[in-house]
Amino acid sequence: MGMTPHSLTRPVALITGASAGLGLALAHGLADRGWALIIDARSADALKDAADALADRTDVVPLAGDVTDPEHRADLVEAVGELGRLDLLVNNASYLGPSPLQPLAAADLDELRRVYEVDVIAPIALTQALIPELTAAAGTVVNISSDAAVEAYEGWGGYGSAKAALDHASRVLAAEHLDIVVYAVDPGDLRTAMHQAAFPGEDISDRPEPASVVPAFLQLLDARPASGRYRAAEFAPAVTS
């Protein structure tokens, strides 16, 4: 699809945690479709590399910062205002907690607070700030979840319970805002730095690359089912032999 700079006709996505892993893979998938992008990550250098790799295809606004920082969130909202619309918010930035993972009975409570600040409070805060733009565009919120939100895995009490809270917050947001759709999406195990941190010293090369699930996310956006919790595997395009 052709794109003219600063036209309001192309869709706009804001993706947090977009310098690596799933966030970066989704950014590339949307750039290939001509979406304008606002991307954030804590590492300015990694974010610049990501933006440079995307800039040949679309307008991309990289803003380095921490999603738990209200001033950084305000910068993201301002960037949305400058682009003139917001069709998709992907709350992908997540914090796993300490590596190796800690059992709940021994969990460092400051680390646990950090997990909740990044994985629950920040996505809610960013969604709050962008509800007007999302509503105007009949937009979509995608909150990245995990199977740890529904399965009880030893060591995953902090991250898993935070993702369970995000899942439920997603459902309530959907009930309160009928003109947007809100998805909690479990992408499945992927070969990412976070997944490696969860399994220090283990070989995770058998996990699929993040890019492998991007078609499923694009299919979800195209199909636009009712708000709810979905597994990326449910939206994998049919494989033809």
Side-chain angles (χ1 to χ4, degrees):
M1 129 184 188
M3 199 195 76
T4 52
H6 312 301
S7 76
L8 295 184
T9 54
R10 82 245 188 262
V12 175
L14 166 54
I15 306 173
T16 66
S19 65
L22 179 60
L24 180 58
L26 288 173
H28 277 280
L30 292 169
D32 288 341
R33 289 185 163 202
W35 285 57
L37 300 170
I38 301 163
I39 56 175
D40 100 320
R42 284 177 302 162
S43 166
D45 290 344
L47 190 65
K48 182 182 186 305
D49 290 345
D52 289 347
L54 292 160
D56 61 338
R57 275 162 293 158
T58 190
D59 292 339
V60 54
V61 180
L63 288 169
D66 187 321
V67 287
T68 66
D69 175 5
E71 290 186 13
H72 174 59
R73 293 196 301 265
D75 289 343
L76 294 172
V77 173
E78 187 177 326
V80 169
E82 288 174 9
L83 286 180
R85 63 186 287 170
L86 184 65
D87 300 82
L88 173 63
L89 169 61
V90 181
N91 285 306
N92 169 71
S94 293
Y95 179 55
L96 179 68
S99 173
L101 296 173
Q102 299 176 325
L104 272 179
D108 180 305
L109 294 181
D110 287 330
E111 286 282 358
L112 191 58
R113 284 187 191 94
R114 173 80 182 154
V115 168
Y116 272 70
E117 284 287 345
V118 176
D119 298 3
V120 186
I121 306 297
I124 290 173
L126 199 51
T127 306
Q128 281 182 340
L130 292 167
I131 279 289
E133 290 80 4
L134 287 162
T135 301
T140 302
V141 177
V142 173
N143 291 324
I144 301 301
S145 186
S146 167
D147 62 329
V150 292
E151 301 291 343
Y153 299 129
E154 290 180 32
W156 290 79
Y159 182 82
S161 63
K163 289 298 187 181
L166 183 63
D167 282 2
H168 198 73
S170 303
R171 293 179 60 192
V172 174
L173 272 165
E176 292 171 342
H177 298 276
L178 301 179
D179 30 18
I180 65 175
V181 288
V182 184
Y183 302 128
V185 182
D186 169 12
D189 287 350
L190 299 173
R191 201 183 317 170
T192 62
M194 177 182 285
H195 198 79
Q196 184 67 75
F199 300 98
E202 288 186 34
D203 178 9
I204 65 163
S205 61
D206 60 327
R207 307 321 196 265
E209 291 285 356
S212 67
V213 297
V214 169
F217 276 87
L218 296 176
Q219 181 137 333
L220 173 70
L221 294 175
D222 290 344
R224 200 176 167 90
S227 293
R229 187 182 196 281
Y230 294 96
R231 288 167 46 249
E234 298 171 65
F235 283 89
V239 177
T240 51
S241 53

